[in-house]
Amino acid sequence: MADSNNSDASFLRRALGVFGYSRRALELVWTTSKPLTITLGLLTLIGGVLPAVIAYIGQLIVDGVVTATQAAEPDTRGVLLLVGLEALVVIAIAATQRGISASQSLLRALLGQRVNVMILEKAMTLELAHFEDSEFYDKLTQARREASSRPLSLVNRTFGLVQNAISLTSYSILLFAFSPWAVAVLIAAGLPSF
């Protein structure tokens, strides 16, 4: 039992430690390009809400079809408008994903350049003996190689986690009207396994 509590505490510490690194990586990305970081954040928020919007419009379409089948003079125009609206939201999701990819590519290039400049500036302050040490030189080379991928990857995973949390919350709001138990099942399914 004590081992289980220690492993749970260790998992929680590691999980929260990732957010500490995410904060530092986000600060680095933010200082690299504020407009691109804001764009990436906004597109992430929009991408998190739009799937629930599609589900809600789908519900309205189904309700409209059921009402139309029971009416003497069905309102097909309203249902067709909803189908068109749903198509626009699907297009918006595709555009959001493309925007996120474009923002990530631009940030990767800018961040790689900025981190390489930072590494070179730091290297200029070092003595020749540091560069003669093969272990130090390997670490320096590895840092330059991973300059753009590591911090941005951490930021992308953090934004992805936020996007999934927004989607989960949006679906929970929609499902609550259907059944509070469905929300509990959705939240339980979304929790990571230990």
Side-chain angles (χ1 to χ4, degrees), residues 14-37:
R14 282 184 289 148
L16 293 177
V18 168
F19 287 110
Y21 291 122
S22 295
R23 183 185 55 79
R24 289 172 41 193
L26 186 58
E27 286 173 1
L28 182 63
V29 171
W30 174 258
T31 57
T32 299
S33 175
K34 292 176 181 136
L36 281 174
T37 307

Side-chain angles (χ1 to χ4, degrees), residues 115-116 119 138-148:
V115 172
N116 277 322
I119 290 171
D138 288 344
K139 287 181 181 178
L140 184 65
T141 304
Q142 182 180 3
R144 287 189 64 206
R145 226 180 297 126
E146 298 176 356
S148 64

Side-chain angles (χ1 to χ4, degrees), residues 26-92:
L26 186 58
E27 286 173 1
L28 182 63
V29 171
W30 174 258
T31 57
T32 299
S33 175
K34 292 176 181 136
L36 281 174
T37 307
I38 290 170
T39 300
L40 187 61
L42 288 175
L43 290 174
T44 300
L45 291 173
I46 292 168
V49 172
L50 288 180
V53 171
I54 285 180
Y56 181 70
I57 293 172
Q59 174 202 351
L60 294 177
I61 290 170
V62 170
D63 291 346
V65 168
V66 168
T67 303
T69 59
Q70 296 172 350
E73 295 200 18
D75 178 27
T76 56
R77 185 171 185 225
V79 173
L80 290 176
L81 285 175
L82 288 172
V83 170
L85 181 62
E86 187 173 45
L88 290 176
V89 175
V90 168
I91 291 169

